[in-house]
Amino acid sequence: MPALHEQLIPVFEEVVNRNPGETEFHQAVREVFESLGPVVAKHPEYAQSSVIGRLCEPERQIIFRVPWVDDAGQVQLNRGFRVEFNSALGPYKGGLRFHPSVYLGIVKFLGFEQIFKNSLTGMPIGGGKGGSDFDPKGKSDAEVMRFCQSFMTELYRHIGEHTDVPAGDTGVGAREIGYLFGQYKRITNRYESGVLTGKGLTWGGSQVRTEATGYGTVFFVHEMLHAAGESIEGRRVVISGSGNVAIYAAEKVRELGGTVIAVSDSGGYVVEEGGIDLELVKDIKLSRRARIEKYAQERGNGARYVTGGSIWEVPCDVALPCATQNELTASDAATLIRNGCKVVAEGANMPSTPDAARAFQEAGLLFAPGKAANAGGVATSALEMQQNASRDSWNFAYTEERLRIIMRGIHDRCLTTADEYGSPGNYVAGANIGGFTRVADAMLAFGVV
Ligand code: NDP
């Protein structure tokens, strides 16, 4: 593990002591701190004003009870979270995750990452994140609706278009955003479109928001390869997950002439050397909400399903981890490098363990961290907010072009910042430092608040 700058050691120790047991949050903070040494050395004002310590302490953390009644008439109980982490650049902005693994440490890691990611987009959005340990899997639509209504019955008092604007994340898609928005509208008696993003297209949503995170990740890959004088055309691509991010990353890879040969879910992965049939994946995962195992059963054509195991065993040129945190370990990284993988871009948040991320950088791969590569989702959410504020709606082509330009901007900002701070070509350093300085400068301007 690389040493931290001496001024950052006590700050990191305090983060660990103040937030016991929140290992994912510690990991996310450490990962950023490992990049900040040259910044602290060049700008002593950040340390003198304790801006870094303040950045690690959320402005507000909300934890609440979410009772609801299942289809059998039984009362069920979940816990809800919203961490309003940093509003230096704009209203708190970040998704809601519904998954049984959600606890405060996960929400804080995601909220912390979100601050830097949102800053990197160059848009006026602060960082926040929320969710619940509710598991939508296997629940009826009516159960999901009752849960969402109960969740919003508490959350509504904390959010607003100028305060905090949640969106979707794992387990929260268009269906959940619909139920959440419906309840918000009912309780407040206001049609406040800008309070949530990821809305349906007929009621205030933006074109391209559904596709944005996956498309944006592939735009970022395109920019990295372009800067290296190469392209995605003809590349073999492996994508973990088969949810929102993975599916639309696969769609854009196909459009740009690459071939997606494997996708996965939490049960295992499927490989089809000639290229995955994306329409079948969409039908299985988005329409039927079934297991990816069905793909091999229904497709034939040489497709095979591997239970458990690691999708990173499949040799590829480009790897896009788009499932969940810490899904790609040091040993997976070693396998990818050994098999000749050239590019890794994180569609998910923190999918590579710290050892894996380091291995990619040491081996000289083009490695894009999630806070840069997957920022297209939140950037398009900010475009949705813009459209809501002006009561306008843009067409698909225009919105996608805006997304493409934003991703190019993030890419270029990473490279220039990495250069400026002595790590040329290092996207991790560029993303962490570029994201940090914009927020830190705003915090300095505001004084001690
Ligand atoms: P979804 O819930 O739509 O999809 C998640 C996918 O990952 C599912 O296919 C799920 O499988 C799979 N998965 C979960 N755990 C594992 C595992 N351990 N191994 C293999 N597959 C697994 O979520 P999203 O696509 O929205 O989000 C994915 C990641 O991207 C998350 O890290 C999220 O924070 C991040 N992200 C999402 C954004 C968005 O706009 N949606 C924006 C920026 C980042 P199963 O079906 O079995 O559960």
Side-chain angles (χ1 to χ4, degrees):
M1 209 186 276
L4 296 180
H5 186 282
E6 58 181 5
Q7 291 188 359
L8 294 172
I9 294 171
V11 187
F12 183 68
E13 284 171 358
E14 180 151 358
V15 168
V16 173
N17 292 335
R18 253 182 209 279
N19 304 282
E22 298 176 2
T23 50
E24 297 84 358
F25 178 46
H26 306 163
Q27 181 184 334
V29 171
R30 185 166 182 111
E31 195 266 333
V32 171
F33 278 20
E34 284 176 6
S35 299
L36 293 187
V39 187
V40 176
K42 193 168 170 184
H43 296 285
E45 66 273 21
Y46 292 139
Q48 282 152 13
S49 59
S50 296
V51 79
I52 301 176
R54 281 189 278 146
L55 234 169
C56 296
E57 182 68 12
E59 290 174 15
R60 192 173 300 109
Q61 306 180 55
I62 302 147
I63 304 183
F64 51 99
R65 183 172 74 191
V66 191
W68 55 282
V69 179
D70 68 17
D71 287 346
Q74 300 294 315
V75 176
Q76 300 289 335
L77 187 61
N78 287 99
R79 185 172 280 183
F81 301 89
R82 186 72 186 165
V83 172
E84 297 180 335
F85 222 121
N86 192 293
S87 60
L89 297 178
Y92 310 104
K93 183 87 197 83
L96 298 170
R97 176 178 291 191
F98 292 169
H99 192 270
S101 64
V102 167
Y103 78 107
L104 189 58
I106 292 272
V107 182
K108 267 154 82 172
F109 121 62
L110 290 165
F112 187 73
E113 292 266 302
Q114 198 81 47
I115 302 170
F116 304 94
K117 179 188 312 193
N118 294 4
S119 163
L120 267 180
T121 65
M123 300 167 104
I125 39 179
K129 200 83 189 188
S132 172
D133 56 2
F134 173 74
D135 186 359
K137 236 180 252 164
K139 304 287 191 302
S140 69
D141 281 355
E143 289 176 323
V144 171
M145 180 183 75
R146 288 193 292 275
F147 172 81
C148 288
Q149 289 175 341
S150 180
F151 187 85
M152 185 52 88
T153 301
E154 172 58 34
L155 187 69
Y156 88 94
R157 69 191 82 242
H158 307 289
I159 62 176
E161 62 182 332
H162 300 296
T163 314
D164 183 356
V165 184
D169 189 74
T170 297
V172 179
R175 173 182 62 170
E176 290 75 15
I177 293 291
Y179 294 144
L180 290 164
F181 185 69
Q183 184 73 348
Y184 182 85
K185 187 173 78 61
R186 184 181 194 192
I187 294 176
T188 60
N189 192 31
R190 277 204 306 269
Y191 205 107
E192 189 185 337
S193 300
V195 71
L196 287 172
T197 58
K199 298 181 295 295
L201 290 178
T202 54
W203 42 276
S206 173
Q207 297 282 358
V208 194
R209 176 60 191 92
T210 306
E211 297 85 354
T213 309
Y215 277 21
T217 302
V218 178
F219 287 149
F220 200 93
V221 170
H222 168 82
E223 293 298 331
M224 288 199 294
L225 284 165
H226 183 70
E230 298 180 33
S231 98
I232 207 165
E233 207 175 332
R235 304 278 182 168
R236 290 157 54 88
V237 183
V238 166
I239 304 181
S240 64
S242 47
N244 172 269
V245 180
I247 282 177
Y248 292 102
E251 190 164 281
K252 190 48 76 179
V253 166
R254 191 175 62 179
E255 257 181 67
L256 297 183
T259 306
V260 178
I261 54 171
V263 295
S264 63
D265 68 12
S266 55
Y269 66 88
V270 287
V271 193
E272 185 175 341
E273 291 296 334
I276 291 286
D277 176 355
L278 191 54
E279 302 323 312
L280 182 55
V281 174
K282 282 185 182 175
D283 181 45
I284 292 170
K285 295 304 290 189
L286 300 182
S287 306
R288 289 189 262 156
R289 296 179 190 269
R291 315 302 307 155
I292 200 70
E293 186 175 4
K294 284 231 170 306
Y295 181 91
Q297 290 164 1
E298 294 178 16
R299 172 85 172 144
N301 209 32
R304 66 191 165 88
Y305 175 71
V306 180
T307 313
S310 167
I311 192 173
W312 311 118
E313 295 159 358
V314 180
C316 61
D317 306 309
V318 178
L320 304 180
C322 294
T324 192
Q325 64 275 354
N326 291 326
E327 53 156 310
L328 196 163
T329 64
S331 109
D332 295 325
T335 308
L336 282 166
I337 295 165
R338 197 171 50 244
N339 287 340
C341 178
K342 296 280 181 296
V343 184
V344 178
E346 297 185 329
N349 286 311
M350 212 167 72
S352 310
T353 63
D355 289 349
R358 219 167 289 127
F360 291 137
Q361 291 167 71
E362 283 167 11
L365 267 71
L366 294 173
F367 174 64
K371 54 174 87 65
N374 72 34
V378 74
T380 308
S381 276
L383 298 180
E384 184 173 332
M385 290 163 73
Q386 273 184 39
Q387 292 168 76
N388 294 152
S390 57
R391 302 201 183 280
D392 197 359
S393 64
W394 309 336
N395 67 29
F396 195 96
Y398 175 75
T399 317
E400 188 182 13
E401 188 53 23
R402 295 282 303 255
L403 170 64
R404 195 193 310 271
I405 292 167
I406 291 166
M407 295 313 294
R408 187 176 305 147
I410 297 172
H411 172 270
D412 294 353
R413 202 162 301 133
C414 287
L415 280 191
T416 355
T417 311
D419 255 356
E420 186 186 337
Y421 284 89
S423 304
N426 185 320
Y427 288 93
V428 174
N432 284 336
I433 299 172
F436 168 80
T437 47
R438 188 163 170 246
V439 182
D441 289 343
M443 289 176 73
L444 282 181
F446 297 156
V448 180
V449 291

